Amino acid sequence: MRAVGFDVNGGPEVLRPVELPVPEPGPGQVLIRVAYAGVNYGEVQHRLGDFGPPDGITVPGMEVSGEIAALGDDVAGLALGDHVAAYLPDGGGYAEYAVAPADFAFPLDGISLRDGGGAALVLTTAYGVLAGAARLTAGDSVLIHAAAGGVGSAAAQIARALGAAAVHGTVRTPEKAEYAKRFGYDAVLLRDTFPADLAATGTEVDVVLDPVGGRTRLASLDVLAPFGRVVVYGDAAREPDLSLPVLPLWKQNRSLSGYNIGDLGRRAPSVVRGHALAALSLLASGAIRLDVTAELSLAAAFQAHHALEEGTSRGKVLLAIA
Ligand SMILES: NC(=O)c1ccc[n+]([C@@H]2O[C@H](COP(=O)([O-])OP(=O)(O)OC[C@H]3O[C@@H](n4cnc5c(N)ncnc54)[C@H](OP(=O)(O)O)[C@@H]3O)[C@@H](O)[C@H]2O)c1
């Protein structure tokens, strides 16, 4: 089968077409003939080496849509030919065929394969960050960094669907701020002027979603309302980690929490599944939508990575494979 992978860390050019055997599903797994693969910032960081060196040819891709082409032993509730969106904890999505745990292959009832291709990681993460880690409740106010990206644009809509009273965002450029308005933000600010712009309006928020890190993370603590929480779920800025004293959390009624789908999928797969199904039902009902802004061929995966790495992508970027 055709796939795209890398065997050395580096820039987008290390992604190259490879021919690999079609993988076989083991017990509790399904084989998917991939229609679309979502491209995610975590895959860019993986390629860059932030998560360590590759072990031989590594095929990235943590979410796909497609049809079930084979079932491993002990799989119930799925049948050959079913259209699914799947979260792939071990990657492998930039390929004609991919293996997924059956627990993380979600039927696409009323959702197109195209939308499904960018849903399983992105929507599950956005839902899990808000409902799980942030414990969002109706009436909360939310601030989302990287507001115009895949997870950010989904999180804005899911926050609203879960009853958030106000949803603010930050982005790097005025163009992205303009673009992000379509997701229902009350205001989208530039991160260069954060937190001064927000503080100037006297705004405090209950929840901050922070996949950026560094200075942005530190400043986020200062915009929390009493009992507010900053949820850490990425380090897109690739700045050094923070070293923070804990006593100020006590003195100022603040919380820091984290979300990691990989860890959650290993230790509490039913929670990941629950978040995925809840988010997909919001997509199927039209309460939220995915904004696919680019659809590239498998061979052009390096272009998608270039855009994500440069920070020029918006919404969701897909590879059209089948
Ligand atoms: N913890 C988890 O389980 C989990 C799961 C999925 C995704 N994530 C994280 O969620 C975040 C969003 O993922 P995504 O795939 O949807 O990506 P994305 O948001 O579509 O793209 C990455 C975003 O990072 C922001 N960014 C900040 N500093 C950057 C820099 N120096 N270079 C490039 N981009 C920078 C960009 O927004 P601006 O232009 O506004 O800065 C860009 O929108 C990522 O940090 C990812 O690692 C975490």
Side-chain angles (χ1 to χ4, degrees), residues 130-276:
L130 287 161
R135 306 257 192 253
L136 186 85
T137 55
D140 278 351
S141 54
V142 181
L143 172 72
I144 301 172
H145 296 303
V151 174
S153 59
Q157 301 171 74
I158 293 173
R160 201 68 87 176
L162 294 177
V167 185
H168 304 285
T170 78
V171 292
R172 260 182 297 183
T173 63
E175 293 73 24
K176 278 196 178 178
E178 191 55 38
Y179 164 80
K181 284 181 187 164
R182 71 190 62 187
F183 301 113
Y185 286 101
D186 293 286
V188 185
L189 310 169
L190 296 180
R191 223 156 38 247
D192 268 358
T193 49
F194 172 80
D197 279 4
L198 202 64
T201 63
T203 305
E204 292 184 327
V205 297
D206 300 301
V207 170
V208 178
L209 268 48
D210 178 26
V212 172
R215 285 161 288 183
T216 299
R217 185 156 299 155
L218 195 56
S220 296
L221 288 163
D222 290 332
V223 303
L224 289 178
F227 301 144
R229 49 269 181 214
V230 171
V231 183
V232 172
Y233 62 103
D235 65 341
R238 306 178 76 223
E239 289 179 32
D241 196 7
L242 299 178
S243 180
L244 289 177
V246 172
L247 289 187
L249 300 176
W250 160 38
K251 303 279 184 178
Q252 291 161 315
N253 291 291
R254 297 170 171 175
S255 296
L256 257 179
S257 64
Y259 176 90
N260 185 286
I261 195 171
D263 175 69
L264 199 58
R266 282 186 294 276
R267 294 198 292 143
S270 62
V271 174
V272 168
R273 188 171 171 82
H275 290 161

Side-chain angles (χ1 to χ4, degrees), residues 39-45 51 62-63 87 121-122 124-126 129 145-153 170-173 176 189 191 210-213 216 232-239 258-263 307-317:
V39 181
N40 297 287
Y41 194 74
E43 294 145 15
V44 171
Q45 290 194 277
F51 311 140
M62 292 181 285
E63 62 183 354
Y87 159 54
L121 178 72
V122 163
T124 307
T125 297
V129 167
H145 296 303
V151 174
S153 59
T170 78
V171 292
R172 260 182 297 183
T173 63
K176 278 196 178 178
L189 310 169
R191 223 156 38 247
D210 178 26
V212 172
T216 299
V232 172
Y233 62 103
D235 65 341
R238 306 178 76 223
E239 289 179 32
Y259 176 90
N260 185 286
I261 195 171
D263 175 69
L308 262 91
E309 188 172 337
E310 292 294 302
T312 54
S313 66
R314 294 140 191 232
K316 191 67 217 169
V317 177

Side-chain angles (χ1 to χ4, degrees), residues 60-77:
M62 292 181 285
E63 62 183 354
V64 295
S65 65
E67 70 173 42
I68 304 268
L71 300 166
D73 291 340
D74 305 325
V75 173

